[in-house]
Amino acid sequence: PGPPGGEVRLAVLGARGVGKSALIVRFLTKRFIGDYEPNTGSLYSRLVRLDGEHVAVQIQDTPGCLQVQGDRVQVLDSLSRCVKWAEGFLVVYSITDYGSYQAVRALHQHIRQLHPDARTPIIVVGNKADLLHARQVQAKEGLQLASDLGSLFLEISTSENSQGVCDVFQYLCKEVSKLQHA
Ligand code: GDP
Ligand code: MG
């Protein structure tokens, strides 16, 4: 038997360099280190307190899952196994990288294909909100896209705001856990 609070499986998707690894490490360690090995497809796990119970949270970091040709974004098949496995998703782009924003739709569709239940939580995250001078994606564009897709949206800075990162993961864990008990 697992922990009393159960288990939650999450996956973090997004184009290269948007801060997926930084985001996960930030949540798990509260630290921002700055450099992460590129292309690690690591699985992280940790007990997390959720409404007074310990829940075993597993988070899959997903590297190299996209092929970009011009403005065409293709999701690689290697991502499917991880998407099938997970129960809740963060789809991340960087506000400093318009291409990473354009990749969100394809990733979202890929998730919805494998999880047609619209209750499966997918949160769209615009990361690197501290880099305002380098902004390529307006907050309202992020909001518009997420509402088109029927997802929650927020901008965060993994480097500057640990609390924001933790709030997103906590929220996602709660949504998954609600669905498990529905
Ligand atoms: P991944 O390829 O999506 O896993 O991206 P990484 O986690 O390796 O991050 C790519 C780069 O962006 C690294 O140099 C990080 O330090 C940096 N980074 C990640 N999040 C932020 C953020 O919120 N603000 C800033 N300024 N840099 C960030
Ligand atoms: Mg990474």
Side-chain angles (χ1 to χ4, degrees):
E7 294 178 1
V8 167
R9 298 192 302 272
L10 309 178
V12 180
L13 279 62
R16 184 180 307 177
V18 298
K20 298 180 295 298
S21 305
L23 200 62
I24 295 169
V25 170
R26 182 62 131 166
F27 171 58
L28 295 176
T29 69
K30 310 284 178 265
R31 292 202 181 88
F32 181 77
I33 302 151
D35 273 317
Y36 307 88
E37 216 177 298
N39 302 323
T40 51
S42 317
L43 179 67
Y44 298 81
S45 49
R46 186 64 51 91
L47 281 177
V48 170
R49 258 187 106 75
L50 202 69
D51 295 332
E53 281 200 283
H54 279 100
V55 175
V57 179
Q58 292 190 298
I59 308 172
Q60 182 71 57
D61 193 356
T62 59
C65 48
L66 288 172
Q67 200 170 339
V68 183
Q69 284 169 328
D71 57 2
R72 250 182 66 83
V73 180
Q74 214 185 337
V75 180
L76 298 181
D77 283 341
S78 52
L79 191 62
S80 299
R81 191 157 42 98
C82 160
V83 169
K84 273 184 204 144
W85 167 88
E87 308 162 282
F89 301 86
L90 293 184
V91 181
V92 185
Y93 70 87
S94 165
I95 71 156
T96 64
D97 175 0
Y98 201 81
S100 72
Y101 167 75
Q102 290 175 309
V104 168
R105 191 178 288 275
L107 288 167
H108 200 285
Q109 284 167 352
H110 185 73
I111 297 167
R112 276 287 173 251
Q113 256 167 31
L114 296 168
H115 295 271
D117 184 343
R119 292 174 305 170
T120 298
I122 306 174
I123 303 178
V124 176
V125 174
N127 189 35
K128 308 198 188 183
D130 53 297
L131 298 178
L132 289 174
H133 59 281
R135 185 189 280 278
Q136 291 182 2
V137 186
Q138 298 306 315
K140 64 171 193 286
E141 294 177 285
L143 192 58
Q144 181 63 56
L145 175 61
S147 81
D148 277 359
L149 297 169
S151 276
L152 279 176
F153 166 72
L154 77 168
E155 282 193 353
I156 59 171
S157 166
T158 301
S159 61
E160 303 297 315
N161 184 0
S162 177
Q163 192 56 47
V165 172
C166 291
D167 290 348
V168 180
F169 276 104
Q170 286 272 345
Y171 179 82
L172 194 54
C173 289
K174 274 192 197 165
E175 288 301 299
V176 168
S177 148
K178 252 198 264 172
L179 206 54
Q180 288 172 343
H181 297 102

